Amino acid sequence: GGLFEAARALRAQKWRKAERLCRQVLRLDPNHPTAIHLLGLAAHRGGHVFDAVSLLRRSIELDDQQPLWWFNLGVSCAAGGRFAEAAECYRAALRLQPYLVPALFMLGQADLEMGLLPDAAAALAQVLRLDPPHEQARSLLKQITRELKDAA
């Protein structure tokens, strides 16, 4: 029904349509975690990062067992420059799904943004163990390795 259509609208980059469909569901069930989460994704993709973080956090308060929800919250936190919060979200996603490569990669990026080079290197090395052709991880890991050697 409505949530399937909202997810489809998100994939089609129709943020307002997705928002309208989610709000229809929320009128009937104001605490529907999936509707709140999709509304948060629509807010993020529509450029409203602060609203997205609030909505995504609320959806997780209602259901904290969805690794991709934690991942999405991390992405919104990072987009708002909140890298420590983002890293915690990626770690929460990884506790639920240890081989979630996008969460590992984004954790590496968040650690890098915070200047935690050894932690970033460890996360990116794990990405490459799980997904050897991951070029972005390989490139970032080379950059970090050079920076660590220069600092030594």
Side-chain angles (χ1 to χ4, degrees):
L3 293 180
F4 178 79
E5 290 300 316
R8 184 188 290 167
L10 277 173
R11 282 191 299 279
Q13 301 183 2
K14 297 178 180 177
W15 321 133
R16 294 215 191 290
K17 181 178 182 181
E19 179 182 349
R20 183 173 40 78
L21 291 164
C22 289
R23 291 195 186 283
Q24 287 174 358
V25 171
L26 292 170
R27 273 195 287 282
L28 301 173
D29 181 358
N31 289 315
H32 194 293
T34 303
I36 294 167
H37 194 82
L38 291 175
L39 188 58
L41 292 179
H44 178 98
R45 293 177 184 161
H48 305 284
V49 173
F50 180 79
D51 293 337
V53 167
S54 176
L55 289 161
L56 296 172
R57 193 174 303 285
R58 185 166 158 228
S59 71
I60 287 171
E61 288 169 1
L62 296 166
D63 180 357
D64 66 357
Q65 296 302 302
Q66 305 298 325
L68 291 178
W69 290 15
W70 283 104
F71 173 78
N72 291 334
L73 177 57
V75 170
S76 287
C77 287
R82 296 154 69 170
F83 298 107
E85 287 178 63
E88 283 306 311
C89 293
Y90 301 138
R91 284 189 197 94
L94 290 163
R95 279 191 291 278
L96 294 167
Q97 191 173 334
Y99 304 110
L100 187 60
V101 170
L104 275 167
F105 178 72
M106 295 300 286
L107 176 59
Q109 285 194 306
D111 286 341
L112 181 60
E113 288 288 342
M114 294 185 292
L116 305 172
L117 300 185
D119 293 345
L124 295 168
Q126 179 70 6
V127 168
L128 292 172
R129 279 193 289 281
L130 296 171
D131 183 12
H134 198 295
E135 283 306 315
Q136 286 178 297
R138 186 172 314 287
S139 173
L140 271 181
L141 186 55
K142 281 181 187 172
Q143 172 193 334
I144 292 167
T145 303
R146 276 194 306 271
E147 289 182 33
L148 287 171
K149 282 181 184 170
D150 291 346

